Amino acid sequence: HFREEQKLCGAGDGARTEGRASESQRGREREAMAANPPLVMGYGGLLTPAPFAGEHFVLGRDGVQIDIDNVLTKSGRWKAEGYLFVSSVRMVFVTKKADASGLQSFDFPLAYVSGEKFNQPIFGCNNLQLNCFSVAANGGPNGTAPPHAVKFYLKLGGCGTLLPMLWRLLECTRIEQRRAAQAAEAAQYPEVVYTTEAVLPEVKNMMNTAYIDPNDPTTVYVTQPVGQDQVMKDEDKPYEPTGLKP
């Protein structure tokens, strides 16, 4: 890609070409990492997302099928069965192994989720439907990339634990986004920085008071599924969770 751009530019444009190629490369790397965020072996032998520093896993749910569009597969869609993790920062869908498309996991920042709703069709599985902006270089609410349309089909049991906790996490995220936006406007500062740390006290309070539905197979993580020694390195981060803009 870099060599092709060089051919199209004059010799005097070499520095600018290199900058554009580097930016494009970083964008592709971010998109690829968002599609396959780093995984580690968690407690109990469960393949688990490597956590961001300060990230707190809240829920885990087995028996979930994903259907997502706008992905880099031949059909532009990805359908697979696996495990859904929900944290104070994001949702992550993980399969046991990569399929022919090369996809094994997918990352959904809570700050980029919108339009969520729960469907209970007469025929077929109950499902959670939502849109989520890409974390690629041209993604986000102000980017040119369209959001992913996602459905999570819940193939095992009820959802009396999963849904109330997920709705509350999204609510807390949006409250913090609005607070950050107001603070940025008051300070006349051009960047809106959403800090995940502000959500953690409410997350921990929610977990201590959560209703546990006996018909819902969702796991509530009283203790974290991975150790702090598994925290993601800076170079492995699919995005900066404290740099997402509402």
Side-chain angles (χ1 to χ4, degrees):
H1 179 72
F2 176 48
R3 287 193 296 271
E4 290 173 357
E5 285 195 354
Q6 277 188 317
K7 292 176 183 177
L8 295 173
C9 300
D13 293 335
R16 289 194 296 273
T17 301
E18 184 176 358
R20 288 196 297 271
S22 297
E23 184 178 348
S24 177
Q25 176 70 15
R26 286 194 296 270
R28 288 197 302 273
E29 287 174 353
R30 288 180 63 197
E31 186 172 14
M33 292 179 73
N36 275 318
L39 303 175
V40 296
M41 192 58 67
Y43 300 135
L46 182 64
L47 201 57
T48 305
F52 289 106
E55 181 176 17
H56 194 90
F57 286 103
V58 180
L59 304 170
R61 172 81 179 226
D62 201 3
V64 177
Q65 184 182 58
I66 192 174
D67 184 357
I68 178 173
D69 69 359
N70 291 330
V71 292
L72 300 178
T73 62
K74 289 183 179 179
S75 66
R77 304 188 71 87
W78 186 43
K79 295 182 180 181
E81 294 190 11
Y83 200 96
L84 180 65
F85 293 88
V86 181
S87 81
S88 56
V89 175
R90 55 185 173 152
M91 296 183 285
V92 187
F93 180 82
V94 180
T95 65
K96 291 182 178 179
K97 60 181 181 179
D99 60 16
S101 72
L103 288 174
Q104 184 173 12
S105 56
F106 213 96
D107 194 302
F108 303 94
L110 297 182
Y112 279 3
V113 170
S114 66
E116 66 278 359
K117 64 178 181 177
F118 183 63
N119 300 314
Q120 294 179 289
I122 297 175
F123 302 104
C125 296
N126 293 344
N127 62 82
L128 172 64
Q129 180 178 348
L130 55 89
N131 296 319
C132 187
F133 286 108
S134 169
V135 299
N138 61 341
N142 299 317
T144 57
H148 300 287
V150 191
K151 280 189 177 181
F152 296 110
Y153 293 92
L154 309 178
K155 305 186 76 174
L156 299 176
C159 55
T161 300
L162 172 66
L163 287 184
M165 296 185 76
L166 176 57
W167 293 161
R168 182 58 181 155
L169 279 169
L170 290 169
E171 180 184 12
C172 290
T173 298
R174 288 161 187 165
I175 289 172
E176 173 55 21
Q177 284 182 301
R178 289 194 293 269
R179 184 211 63 77
Q182 290 167 359
E185 184 178 356
Q188 296 184 338
Y189 189 70
E191 292 291 321
V192 177
V193 178
Y194 155 62
T195 57
T196 59
E197 290 82 1
V199 177
L200 284 178
E202 178 58 31
V203 167
K204 292 177 180 178
N205 178 63
M206 176 181 64
M207 293 177 69
N208 290 333
T209 59
Y211 167 71
I212 304 301
D213 180 359
N215 296 314
D216 185 337
T218 297
T219 298
V220 177
Y221 289 121
V222 178
T223 58
Q224 291 299 282
V226 292
Q228 284 301 303
D229 59 331
Q230 304 273 36
V231 168
M232 260 189 278
K233 298 177 181 178
D234 285 346
E235 60 268 24
D236 293 334
K237 291 180 181 179
Y239 53 90
E240 288 290 343
T242 57
L244 297 177
K245 302 175 182 62

